[in-house]
Amino acid sequence: TYIKRNTHWVALAEHFARATDLKDDEAAIRKADSDWVEAARSKHVDAWLAFYADDAVVLPPNDKVANGRESARKSVGDLLSLPGLSITWQPTNVAVARSGDIAYLTGAYSIAFNGANGEPLTDQGTLLEVWKKQRDGKWLCAADIWNSDLPTSPPPK
């Protein structure tokens, strides 16, 4: 069965099947992101990095861009080695492209750790992850950025 959309004919059965696939893709990304949080809590750098595509672009706050999974190793390692680290994040929205091969996730994070003098420090903010479906059907993060909601500190005088 076909229906006319704008000026193009679309197979109705294919159209409905794709909508179902997108819901499955969204669920897979939400599950992968939840598993990523657990990997972060393990504080193992390789467990975190496993969620990045080989050519991922990582844009950590107050740091230089990391191009590629291995390039992100230092900034992820520095984060995970913070004393007393507690980290979590959760998605607020996941949108999968109709093509089913790329998606983005927006959300919020919170982090707590001990500062240089042992004083507890906290931060919370927003995040954006771009996910790409790999040839094997697995979703990996292709771009990752997180930004603090807290005001910036003035430069020292």
Side-chain angles (χ1 to χ4, degrees), residues 14-102:
E14 179 181 325
H15 178 72
F16 286 123
R18 190 71 208 130
T20 301
D21 292 345
L22 295 181
K23 293 248 185 245
D24 292 345
D25 288 332
E26 178 184 341
I29 292 165
R30 287 182 181 274
K31 170 77 169 97
D33 198 62
S34 176
D35 292 346
W36 193 2
V37 170
E38 292 306 311
R41 289 180 181 152
S42 78
K43 300 180 185 171
H44 294 302
V45 175
D46 287 331
W48 176 302
L49 293 176
F51 289 87
Y52 286 143
D54 289 338
D55 60 349
V57 176
V58 182
L59 301 128
N62 306 308
D63 204 351
K64 296 188 187 301
V65 65
N67 290 299
R69 181 188 295 154
E70 283 308 309
S71 179
R73 181 174 293 282
K74 182 183 180 323
S75 60
V76 170
D78 289 349
L79 172 66
L80 295 180
S81 67
L82 290 171
L85 177 67
S86 171
I87 186 170
T88 192
W89 66 87
Q90 56 281 334
T92 53
N93 184 50
V94 175
V96 180
R98 281 188 280 194
S99 61
D101 61 348
I102 194 163

Side-chain angles (χ1 to χ4, degrees), residues 78-137:
D78 289 349
L79 172 66
L80 295 180
S81 67
L82 290 171
L85 177 67
S86 171
I87 186 170
T88 192
W89 66 87
Q90 56 281 334
T92 53
N93 184 50
V94 175
V96 180
R98 281 188 280 194
S99 61
D101 61 348
I102 194 163
Y104 70 87
L105 177 150
T106 57
Y109 74 87
S110 63
I111 184 173
F113 59 95
N114 298 327
N117 297 329
E119 74 279 10
L121 300 173
T122 61
D123 183 28
Q124 68 273 339
T126 55
L127 60 92
L128 171 66
E129 302 163 357
V130 177
W131 292 78
K132 286 174 84 175
K133 187 182 266 187
Q134 307 302 298
R135 291 175 193 230
D136 63 0

